[in-house]
Amino acid sequence: MNIATGATRRTVDSEPARRPPLPGQVVLVLQGGGALGAYQTGVYRAMHEAGIEPDWVIGTSIGAINASLIAGNPPEERLARMEEFWERVTHGPLQRLFASMPMVGGTMANWLTFAGGITPFFQPNPAAFLSPHAPLDAEAAGYYSTVPLRPTLAALIDFDRANAGPVRLTVGAANVRTGEMRYFDSRDMPLDARHVMASGALPPAFPAIRIDGDLYWDGGILSNTPVEAVFDDNPRRDAVVFAVHLWNPGGEEPRTIWQVMNRHKDIQYSSRAVSHIRRQRQIHRLRHIIKELAHRLPPEDRARPEIRQMEAYGCLTRMHVVRLLAPSLRGEDHQKDIDFSTSGIRERSAAGYADTMRVLDAAPWESFIDPLEGFVLHEDGSSLGQT
């Protein structure tokens, strides 16, 4: 057991389990959420031990970092690289000392992160703190500098492999000038550390990253759950999509200011995941219905150009979406996304491992599905495509 996983391996990396048959390409979608991203390491570990390697990884913010660690390393090294990254960003000795204090220790450790940053990740930008109204260079306008992140990524990620290897990599970022979402995709262009850093450049904490003349911020400010990149892909393919959510869209009524701040973050960064899922289920069902209706036409009618054009809107691909939702830890608050404590990282990773193992054991994509359903949602090991 180690800090980044919090779970004992079922198999050793040199002898992975045989990959079970899955109906289509395997896509891993990783939401942004700072320290909450440790949950994703447990998700990947469970998949890896089950012999399931993704064909495509998509991420935003911390999810983009985890995604690039997967795509930018061979299968036998991916877990080690992910673990090394999370060990590098874990609280240092002084923060661990404060965290061990009862009652307010965790809060004080997080405040040290606010004040001093995390050495391999980000560091304070004194100019922004001391004179917030002073003009700064557009690529330095943030309370922190993410310059330390670049060598960290370079040490752990082989971008040549990420661009030419078997795993497709996509990271989402927000164009500062246009306010539009941009998905940088290794299928279409070579990616490097700038694209990953742009995906995690959350303002006002982190400065924008310039790519091809434009500035980009964290994609989470527009869409922190980048599943639409899968649903809108062309051409569409049958797939099992493991969508890993770090922020809970549902929750109790807040009764304190800190609870209000915590609930606000959950709602903001869950990115309307439920409404996205409902819309996609409707769209995919309509695509199947169009194809079914076209098949019922006489051959001479179906051959007409205008009918063929309408039929092109139909599609018989099926996407199984396995939704994994990171649980809340006892005592967590609105600072949970900067909780880089040893215990926090270990608990979240262990939760991701346990949740994913439970879903893999259930294999819900093997259950009966209505032939008209093109989008099937699986939560808690059950099929929800027909609700």
Side-chain angles (χ1 to χ4, degrees):
M1 183 179 294
N2 62 48
I3 186 174
T5 65
T8 302
R9 304 184 184 188
R10 285 191 178 183
T11 61
V12 295
D13 291 344
S14 59
E15 299 178 0
R18 181 182 179 185
R19 171 174 172 164
L22 295 179
Q25 67 174 334
V26 177
V27 185
L28 183 57
V29 180
L30 304 176
Q31 196 179 66
L36 306 182
Y39 179 85
Q40 297 166 351
T41 67
V43 171
Y44 176 72
R45 170 177 289 281
M47 293 175 62
H48 177 76
E49 291 183 7
I52 300 173
E53 296 294 339
D55 301 298
W56 184 10
V57 284
I58 306 170
T60 299
S61 199
I62 197 68
I65 293 177
N66 282 331
S68 60
L69 288 164
I70 293 170
N73 285 288
E76 66 275 11
E77 296 180 12
R78 290 170 183 166
L79 283 173
R81 294 293 178 265
M82 295 180 82
E83 290 167 3
E84 183 175 350
F85 172 81
W86 285 94
E87 287 171 357
R88 289 190 183 201
V89 300
T90 302
H91 281 169
L94 184 58
Q95 290 163 313
R96 289 198 295 270
L97 176 62
F98 276 105
S100 66
M101 299 171 60
M103 301 297 289
V104 297
T107 299
M108 294 181 68
N110 289 336
W111 275 105
L112 279 179
T113 300
F114 273 124
I118 296 176
T119 302
F121 198 161
F122 60 92
Q123 60 190 17
N125 178 10
F129 280 100
L130 297 175
S131 184
H133 296 291
L136 300 170
D137 183 270
E139 296 170 71
Y143 287 115
Y144 301 91
S145 167
T146 53
V147 169
L149 180 59
R150 187 181 294 271
T152 300
L153 297 178
L156 300 176
I157 300 166
D158 179 354
F159 280 99
D160 289 336
R161 171 177 285 273
N163 289 313
V167 180
R168 179 180 171 187
L169 173 64
T170 305
V171 298
N175 187 301
V176 176
R177 179 178 54 83
T178 67
E180 296 290 330
M181 191 72 176
R182 171 77 183 274
Y183 286 107
F184 297 104
D185 196 320
S186 65
R187 184 185 64 178
D188 305 324
M189 60 182 295
L191 305 187
D192 56 42
R194 294 173 304 154
H195 301 91
V196 178
M197 293 172 67
S199 184
L202 183 64
F206 298 157
I209 301 295
R210 192 177 299 279
I211 300 173
D212 297 332
D214 276 337
L215 290 174
Y216 289 90
W217 274 331
D218 191 311
I221 65 176
L222 290 177
S223 178
N224 198 37
T225 312
V227 287
E228 65 264 23
V230 184
F231 304 144
D232 297 334
D233 194 34
N234 186 21
R236 282 182 293 274
R237 296 172 55 190
D238 290 344
V240 177
V241 182
F242 294 88
V244 186
H245 296 249
L246 303 179
W247 304 90
N248 200 324
E252 298 180 353
E253 294 182 356
R255 296 180 178 273
T256 69
I257 292 299
W258 276 32
Q259 289 175 357
V260 167
M261 296 169 70
N262 185 39
R263 189 74 196 109
H264 170 243
K265 274 191 174 182
D266 272 336
I267 293 173
Q268 178 181 9
Y269 292 120
S270 63
S271 292
R272 302 178 301 283
V274 174
S275 62
H276 283 172
I277 286 170
R278 287 173 180 164
R279 182 178 68 88
Q280 289 296 332
R281 284 170 61 183
Q282 292 172 342
I283 291 173
H284 278 263
R285 186 173 180 86
L286 286 173
R287 286 174 177 149
H288 275 236
I289 289 173
I290 289 171
K291 277 293 186 183
E292 178 64 24
L293 291 175
H295 287 156
R296 294 172 181 263
L297 293 174
E300 61 273 17
D301 288 339
R302 194 176 178 190
R304 290 161 53 189
E306 64 271 25
I307 299 298
R308 290 166 57 187
Q309 185 178 15
M310 287 187 282
E311 184 182 352
Y313 285 93
C315 180
L316 292 178
T317 58
R318 174 168 289 125
M319 295 188 185
H320 292 268
V321 179
V322 180
R323 188 164 178 250
L324 294 161
L325 180 61
S328 299
L329 300 185
R330 185 176 60 182
E332 72 177 19
D333 54 34
H334 68 285
Q335 297 179 336
K336 59 190 176 185
D337 53 334
I338 60 165
D339 176 19
F340 288 93
S341 65
T342 302
S343 60
I345 290 174
R346 179 182 292 124
E347 287 182 58
R348 295 189 190 285
S349 181
Y353 180 87
D355 289 350
T356 308
M357 278 299 189
R358 185 166 54 250
V359 168
L360 295 179
D361 288 342
W365 46 83
E366 296 179 357
S367 59
F368 172 77
I369 302 300
D370 183 339
L372 290 180
E373 290 291 345
F375 180 106
V376 188
L377 176 65
H378 304 286
E379 291 185 295
D380 299 323
S382 61
S383 297
L384 304 178
Q386 302 173 52
T387 60

